[in-house]
Amino acid sequence: MSTAEYAVGTVTACAFAAVLFAVLNSAEVRDTLLGIVTDALRSGG
């Protein structure tokens, strides 16, 4: 790959990480994930 392709890939990866970070920090997603983990810990043992 050329340097330009690496740059485009890096920018794309950073943009994807920013979107993922925003989604995972939303209250709805956080509450859902917390509920899943809490239920799994209660049922496992």
Side-chain angles (χ1 to χ4, degrees), residues 5-17:
E5 290 170 330
Y6 280 119
V8 171
T10 301
V11 169
T12 304
C14 289
F16 179 73

Side-chain angles (χ1 to χ4, degrees), residues 3-4 11 13 15 18 21 27 29 32 34 37 41-45:
T3 303
V11 169
F21 182 77
V29 174
T32 301
L34 182 62
V37 171
L41 290 174
R42 284 185 187 156
S43 67

Side-chain angles (χ1 to χ4, degrees), residues 15-34:
F16 179 73
V19 170
L20 187 61
F21 182 77
V23 168
L24 290 178
N25 278 332
S26 70
E28 296 166 353
V29 174
R30 189 180 327 125
D31 292 342
T32 301
L33 291 175
L34 182 62

